[in-house]
Amino acid sequence: RKEVEQDPGPFNVPEGATVAFNCTYSNSASQSFFWYRQDCRKEPKLLMSVYSSGNEDGRFTAQLNRASQYISLLIRDSKLSDSATYLCVVNSRGSSNTGKLIFGQGTTLQVKP
Amino acid sequence: NAGVTQTPKFQVLKTGQSMTLQCAQDMNHEYMSWYRQDPGMGLRLIHYSVGAGITDQGEVPNGYNVSRSTTEDFPLRLLSAAPSQTSVYFCASSYSWRTYEQYFGPGTRLTVT
């Protein structure tokens, strides 16, 4: 089982729609969680960190459920410019007791006019 | 402030050849890592480093070597290139592996024939 799993999609939605992405992680000791955005043939960039209490940044809401080891990203009022791949990222402890960041395979969103 | 730089941008190798992908950052970041990205696989961690002189293996380390002699540089060496190593390689850095944003380089597109 992969350490971080996402539904790859693609999710095809009309402009203005609300869409939610889910991500599960297997390491219960994970401490930090992020959502990254990647545009086609570009490098990933941080969208938002995910905090235990949940957090919102404009049209984007991220939530964490530690008991179920589950992270979500909600996008409200989708724009054409939201079309991208969204990557769930979780930190994990490595073999030398140092950290490593593990990416999910990404969920592709296509917003249609 | 150049951020994270990677060279070369594109490379074609023959099977069995060796080469080094260069990565440098000028942000005095402690944590650096290498990922490969293949279609449908998301980003997979190859090796990472939490500081000069400290490296550790990620999910897919076989066929790759790294070293971290300075804070700024984190080269990735392909020992004997194979067609399975055809991929896009991203280098990333962050202040710390625990909670901080990772900054990615623009990527190196490698083809092994």
Side-chain angles (χ1 to χ4, degrees), chain A residues 31-32 34 36 38 41-44 46 87 91 93-96 98-101 103-105, chain B residues 31 35 37 40-43 45 48 50 56 59 90 97-102 104-106 109:
Chain A
Q31 298 170 339
S32 300
F34 309 91
Y36 276 70
Q38 185 176 27
R41 299 178 75 83
K42 298 284 193 182
E43 69 272 23
L46 180 67
L87 301 158
N91 87 331
R93 205 167 277 278
S95 57
S96 56
T98 57
K100 56 182 179 178
L101 291 167
F103 281 70
Q105 69 265 50
Chain B
Y31 182 90
Y35 296 89
Q37 186 170 35
M41 300 290 289
L43 277 83
L45 183 63
Y48 64 100
V50 296
D56 205 347
E59 302 169 90
F90 288 105
W97 65 273
R98 291 184 185 280
T99 58
Y100 292 92
E101 175 180 359
Q102 276 205 315
F104 282 81
R109 297 182 185 279

